[in-house]
Amino acid sequence: AEAGGLPLIPPPISDVAALDQLADLADALVLPGGAFDIDPALYGEERHERCGELKPERTALERALLERALARGLPVLGVCGGMQLINVERGGALWQDLSAQAPSPLQHQQATAKDQPAHEVEVVSGTLLARVVATTTLPVNSTHHQACKRLGAGLIVSARASDGLVEGIEDPSRPFLVGVQWHPESMREAPQRAIYRALVEAARVR
């Protein structure tokens, strides 16, 4: 809303016609993430013992809306788990638990509030994300125990943490299909706010 958009929160429905109507109402889609994991079966893996709670109904709804948004050419922003869903939907895979499968001294599950940065990411020059945030180094918050392990089809890395973990993805063939592993809406710095403004502007241009 601060970026100039009107948020519409979809109800948990599965009716195909209703989902089509929701997608037709929207000018863009935000996949906001949450305190749950994506079923590893969706990327062809057995569930690791450290994989967290699943919410299959919500994942199904978000996948259905993502499919419709992509078919309509809507701008899409995936945040944290939303970025992971974009990757999985494109055929990518996830680390099911970083501490067990890809341990790093870098803190990816901060104990402090989300308006405080946990670490920095390096933004890849030449990407849409780089143009939006207008910087090559960005302090970010970090509240995730999973991350992209293998990129899905057509996706490129737009940001990485210092330990090499993928922190941003995008599809350069589309006007706006962007995922970030952090929560920019919880931070007040100008580059963070610019991400949502860019989404709204992409919707307006479309």
Side-chain angles (χ1 to χ4, degrees), residues 110-144:
Q110 67 189 74
T112 54
K114 283 197 292 185
D115 62 352
Q116 300 298 313
H119 61 79
E120 292 185 338
V121 298
E122 292 295 324
V123 182
V124 178
S125 63
T127 60
L128 174 58
L129 181 64
R131 295 194 297 273
V132 168
V133 300
T135 183
T136 57
T137 305
L138 190 64
V140 301
N141 53 29
S142 195
T143 61
H144 60 102

Side-chain angles (χ1 to χ4, degrees), residues 98-110:
L98 292 173
S99 62
Q101 297 178 310
S104 167
L106 203 61
Q107 179 58 258
H108 289 290
Q109 284 188 291
Q110 67 189 74

Side-chain angles (χ1 to χ4, degrees), residues 49-203:
E49 62 180 10
R50 299 288 293 274
C51 183
E53 178 187 4
L54 307 182
K55 294 186 177 180
E57 294 86 1
R58 177 166 162 184
T59 297
L61 171 65
E62 292 186 339
R63 289 184 71 200
L65 291 174
L66 175 58
E67 177 185 318
R68 285 160 174 79
L70 294 176
R72 288 161 172 77
L74 299 183
V76 176
L77 174 63
V79 174
C80 201
M83 167 177 135
Q84 295 167 13
L85 182 62
I86 291 171
N87 188 53
V88 169
E89 192 66 14
R90 284 293 188 87
L94 306 178
W95 297 111
Q96 293 189 44
D97 183 77
L98 292 173
S99 62
Q101 297 178 310
S104 167
L106 203 61
Q107 179 58 258
H108 289 290
Q109 284 188 291
Q110 67 189 74
T112 54
K114 283 197 292 185
D115 62 352
Q116 300 298 313
H119 61 79
E120 292 185 338
V121 298
E122 292 295 324
V123 182
V124 178
S125 63
T127 60
L128 174 58
L129 181 64
R131 295 194 297 273
V132 168
V133 300
T135 183
T136 57
T137 305
L138 190 64
V140 301
N141 53 29
S142 195
T143 61
H144 60 102
H145 83 111
Q146 297 192 329
C148 294
K149 177 172 67 173
R150 184 186 71 247
L151 283 192
L155 299 174
I156 63 170
V157 175
S158 58
R160 286 188 186 274
S162 60
D163 59 3
L165 203 69
V166 175
E167 293 273 347
I169 59 174
E170 60 187 61
D171 181 346
S173 73
R174 287 180 173 265
F176 198 104
L177 176 56
V178 173
V180 293
Q181 188 57 71
W182 65 96
H183 284 271
E185 72 280 358
S186 295
M187 307 187 78
R188 304 302 304 182
E189 293 79 9
Q192 306 287 1
R193 317 307 283 183
I195 294 172
Y196 279 90
R197 287 200 304 272
L199 174 75
V200 172
E201 182 58 25

